[in-house]
Amino acid sequence: FPSDKIRNFSIIAHIDHGKSTLADRLMELTGTIKKGHGQPQYLDKLQVERERGITVKAQTATMFYENKVKDQEASGFLLNLIDTPGHVDFSYEVSRSLSACQGALLVVDAAQGVQAQTVANFYLAFEANLTIVPVINKIDQPTADPDRVKAQLKSMFDLDTDEVLLVSAKTGLGLEHVLPAVIERIPPPPGISDSPLRMLLFDSFFNEYKGVVCYVSVVDGMLRKGDKVSFAATGQSYEVLDVGIMHPELTSTGMLLTGQVGYIVTGMRTTKEARIGDTIYRTKTTVEPLPGFKPVRHMVFSGVYPADGSDFEALTHAIEKLTCNDASVSVAKETSAALGMGFRCGFLGLLHMDVFHQRLEQEYGTQVISTIPTVPYTFEYSDGSKLQVQNPAALPSNPKYRVTASWEPTVIATIILPSEYVGALDILLNGQAVDALATIVHNQKAYRVGKELVEKLKNFIERQMFEVMIQAAIGSKIIARDTISAMRKNVLAKCYGGDITRKKKLLEKQKEGKKRMKRVGSVDIPHEAFQQILKVS
Ligand code: GDP
Ligand code: MG
């Protein structure tokens, strides 16, 4: 397969929007799995995935597909599909998968519309420069509203509504358009076939018979069974004992070409030798290492101890093998007075932690006791020293110095929600909204905050030649108001005594002038006043 006949794509979506079911249908359509055989969500192979009905591991499947374009001869394509998890705790799986792809099917439930992980995963794919093919799924549901979802995709992601595919992964409706769209819209992998071999190690797992199996994406060059390869990060070299594709089970092919996604077995002795994100190249050549992955940020830590103290050895082996398949867990040895020897593990979230424990039990038969999860804290002492704590036991109970400050992790979050749920508070000066003063507050606090802001503004804004009306509003509803009266210029100063009608005329004119200024004029708010207002509010 020349690389212009290869397409690598992920399926991304919010949890439960139908990624794994769509993957089933595409694999059936291409004869990769038999229709009606096997279980639904075929790629959810782990027991924990089947029990919970969620995907926690990204899974790759290679498919062969004959694409027939009208009036043209059918031509064969090799498609690599990666099904990904939807839950936020497993987004590391998604970002790694995307690095082996040029495009992504962004699946959205026709009834639920765009959800939190739709947005997060869209941006992962967008930042990775992938071509996004929007797919609205579950159009068979009675509550499906594809037009509303199309409008959301347009307004939130600027996706062309004409390019949105409408499907039901359940009934098969519209599915015939998916793979042709993948072929037409997603570019082939950009690698250079006659360059020296460069592969990205994007995932791995431990197999009892084969040892460590590495999932690789061939960026440049080609690879054959028997070749000698080196790993950039570890500096280790190996002979390639087996090489092949996931079809969807491991299938030896003897070689992998530029742009392909597949697996290699090298007879590594320990799982630590497979560092996810590493660059693999032909031994004795020099290549520029691939960018790899951003290091993961662990959100929660907990202790993992063998339920039976003597099983420490078994737990060590189990953790070693499992972390080979889940590189996002951090592991460090620790000892507890009560529980003996164990490990302190860092996870991406509580669900991730739960799933890790469950996999230790189900896949490796180790019973574990886990301690209460904690977030990492930083303490500062009166001598200026700082202490990072991931385990409550590590916090000295009688410290030499006083704790002067303590920090816990905070999140900078963007909340996207329909406008009816927002108590958006506008500040209007003479009827015009001042965007810099607008704020989002909880409905319950809106009245108090609005009143305070109006009062502060009244104190900070100088009197103008015209009356200034200050209002706080939620939508069109005014919830607080005040006015700063105008300075009255003495227009009569130049009239020495005399004509009362002339005076009246001038006063009329002044009134009109004021009106005009009120209508068109904008209020000057001094910069310092702005800062003061924003600071105190
Ligand atoms: P994932 O979390 O995105 O992988 O979602 P799954 O593929 O596991 O599907 C979640 C649920 O939605 C399952 O119960 C599927 O049977 C169901 N589902 C998937 N696609 C469709 C569809 O097109 N129509 C309907 N009605 N249900 C679907
Ligand atoms: Mg799934």
Side-chain angles (χ1 to χ4, degrees):
F1 276 92
S3 47
D4 67 324
K5 299 285 185 205
I6 298 177
R7 298 291 183 274
N8 300 321
F9 66 99
S10 286
I11 306 183
I12 55 174
H14 189 73
I15 193 158
D16 263 358
H17 282 197
K19 296 174 289 296
S20 302
T21 309
L22 179 62
D24 281 354
R25 292 295 95 76
L26 297 180
M27 287 191 293
E28 284 171 4
L29 200 105
T30 53
T32 313
I33 57 172
K34 284 209 186 82
K35 208 171 177 162
H37 288 251
Q39 31 206 352
Q41 288 94 30
Y42 185 90
L43 292 176
D44 289 345
K45 294 173 191 171
L46 303 177
Q47 193 180 340
V48 49
E49 295 181 312
R50 307 224 64 94
E51 282 175 15
R52 291 178 185 247
I54 58 168
T55 307
V56 307
K57 260 317 279 183
Q59 287 294 349
T60 307
T62 297
M63 313 183 292
F64 297 97
Y65 178 66
E66 286 279 312
N67 191 38
K68 272 207 181 74
V69 183
K70 240 189 262 162
D71 307 330
Q72 280 178 32
E73 250 181 77
S75 74
F77 281 83
L78 187 153
L79 309 175
N80 291 303
L81 162 161
I82 307 185
D83 182 25
T84 64
H87 197 283
V88 60
D89 280 25
F90 307 107
S91 63
Y92 184 61
E93 287 290 318
V94 182
S95 59
R96 276 188 299 106
S97 306
L98 294 179
S99 70
C101 296
Q102 285 72 45
L105 295 181
L106 179 69
V107 176
V108 187
D109 183 311
Q112 285 190 11
V114 172
Q115 298 288 318
Q117 288 310 108
T118 317
V119 179
N121 288 329
F122 167 82
Y123 281 107
L124 283 181
F126 186 74
E127 279 160 22
N129 279 323
L130 301 198
T131 301
I132 290 157
V133 179
V135 179
I136 297 180
N137 185 34
K138 307 200 189 184
I139 55 167
D140 60 288
Q141 292 180 112
T143 49
D145 187 355
D147 286 338
R148 182 181 72 94
V149 182
K150 271 190 192 174
Q152 284 185 327
L153 291 170
K154 172 75 188 152
S155 71
M156 297 187 70
F157 309 132
D158 201 23
L159 291 168
D160 192 339
T161 46
D162 294 336
E163 298 200 337
V164 179
L165 304 175
L166 300 182
V167 307
S168 163
K170 187 176 174 186
T171 66
L173 198 68
L175 275 176
E176 67 279 11
H177 302 300
V178 177
L179 293 180
V182 164
I183 287 166
E184 277 160 37
R185 300 187 206 167
I186 297 175
I192 305 161
S193 54
D194 51 13
S195 271
L197 172 71
R198 254 193 337 169
M199 301 192 287
L200 175 71
L201 171 59
F202 71 91
D203 203 355
S204 63
F205 73 96
F206 187 83
N207 177 289
E208 284 305 324
Y209 307 104
K210 293 177 189 281
V212 179
V213 179
C214 297
Y215 285 145
V216 295
S217 144
V218 184
V219 176
D220 294 316
M222 69 161 302
L223 175 82
R224 275 205 177 81
K225 184 178 167 177
D227 284 354
K228 291 256 172 14
V229 291
S230 298
F231 286 59
T234 61
Q236 302 271 12
S237 300
Y238 310 87
E239 182 184 332
V240 176
L241 304 177
D242 186 15
V243 47
I245 56 173
M246 290 69 90
H247 190 48
E249 308 307 330
L250 301 186
T251 309
S252 294
T253 56
M255 65 160 112
L256 283 177
L257 305 175
T258 312
Q260 269 195 283
V261 174
Y263 75 90
I264 62 169
V265 176
T266 62
M268 283 179 176
R269 280 162 302 277
T270 67
T271 58
K272 289 196 184 72
E273 293 163 64
R275 293 228 193 121
I276 302 307
D278 204 352
T279 303
I280 309 172
Y281 58 99
R282 199 178 303 285
T283 307
K284 290 195 179 126
T285 60
T286 19
V287 296
E288 178 82 8
L290 298 161
F293 304 114
K294 269 192 232 155
V296 283
R297 254 287 207 16
H298 299 104
M299 304 292 175
V300 280
F301 289 84
S302 94
V304 177
Y305 291 86
D308 170 359
S310 61
D311 272 355
F312 180 68
E313 193 95 328
L315 178 62
T316 309
H317 286 305
I319 287 187
E320 225 173 77
K321 286 170 189 166
L322 185 51
T323 49
C324 179
N325 194 226
D326 185 356
S328 62
V329 179
S330 77
V331 181
K333 276 203 178 111
E334 80 170 10
T335 320
S336 140
L339 299 168
M341 294 224 282
F343 297 94
R344 177 122 304 238
C345 298
F347 304 97
L348 300 181
L350 291 173
L351 176 62
H352 182 213
M353 184 181 84
D354 260 14
V355 164
F356 188 80
H357 290 154
Q358 201 175 337
R359 290 186 69 184
L360 275 179
E361 293 196 14
Q362 292 179 338
E363 293 167 40
Y364 297 96
T366 43
Q367 297 288 326
V368 298
I369 294 175
S370 67
T371 61
I372 299 169
T374 176
V375 294
Y377 286 94
T378 302
F379 295 94
E380 190 179 308
Y381 291 92
S382 53
D383 68 335
S385 66
K386 281 187 183 154
L387 180 69
Q388 284 241 14
V389 174
Q390 293 162 0
N391 180 355
L395 188 65
S397 47
N398 261 322
K400 217 164 135 194
Y401 298 97
R402 204 163 38 85
V403 173
T404 49
S406 50
W407 288 277
E408 61 180 355
T410 51
V411 167
I412 298 174
T414 306
I415 300 173
I416 298 171
L417 64 164
S419 53
E420 60 260 37
Y421 298 118
V422 183
L425 181 63
D426 272 328
I427 297 296
L428 307 145
L429 291 178
N430 284 344
Q432 276 194 1
V434 183
D435 62 348
L437 295 177
T439 172
I440 294 176
V441 289
H442 196 281
N443 263 323
Q444 288 175 345
K445 290 189 189 159
Y447 285 86
R448 185 176 56 75
V449 172
K451 212 165 153 255
E452 276 175 20
L453 271 173
V454 167
E455 255 169 46
K456 274 164 203 157
L457 275 167
K458 192 178 177 187
N459 294 335
F460 281 114
I461 297 174
E462 286 170 31
R463 290 177 86 193
Q464 318 262 328
M465 294 302 295
F466 48 90
E467 187 181 272
V468 178
M469 180 169 60
I470 311 170
Q471 295 167 310
I474 303 174
S476 57
K477 192 162 110 199
I478 306 293
I479 56 164
R481 65 160 291 159
D482 212 329
T483 40
I484 302 173
S485 54
M487 280 190 280
R488 189 160 172 234
K489 196 161 141 196
N490 192 356
V491 285
L492 304 180
K494 283 182 210 149
C495 304
Y496 312 100
D499 192 351
I500 183 79
T501 52
R502 187 170 148 70
K503 270 187 196 168
K504 259 193 178 153
K505 252 186 190 161
L506 279 170
L507 284 169
E508 285 286 337
K509 223 173 150 188
Q510 187 192 36
K511 210 170 162 189
E512 234 183 66
K514 274 191 198 165
K515 255 193 209 153
R516 202 167 57 237
M517 282 171 88
K518 213 189 220 169
R519 219 168 40 232
V520 298
S522 66
V523 184
D524 287 328
I525 309 173
H527 183 65
E528 302 76 47
F530 245 115
Q531 280 184 330
Q532 286 299 319
I533 293 160
L534 294 175
K535 198 161 78 192
V536 289
S537 64

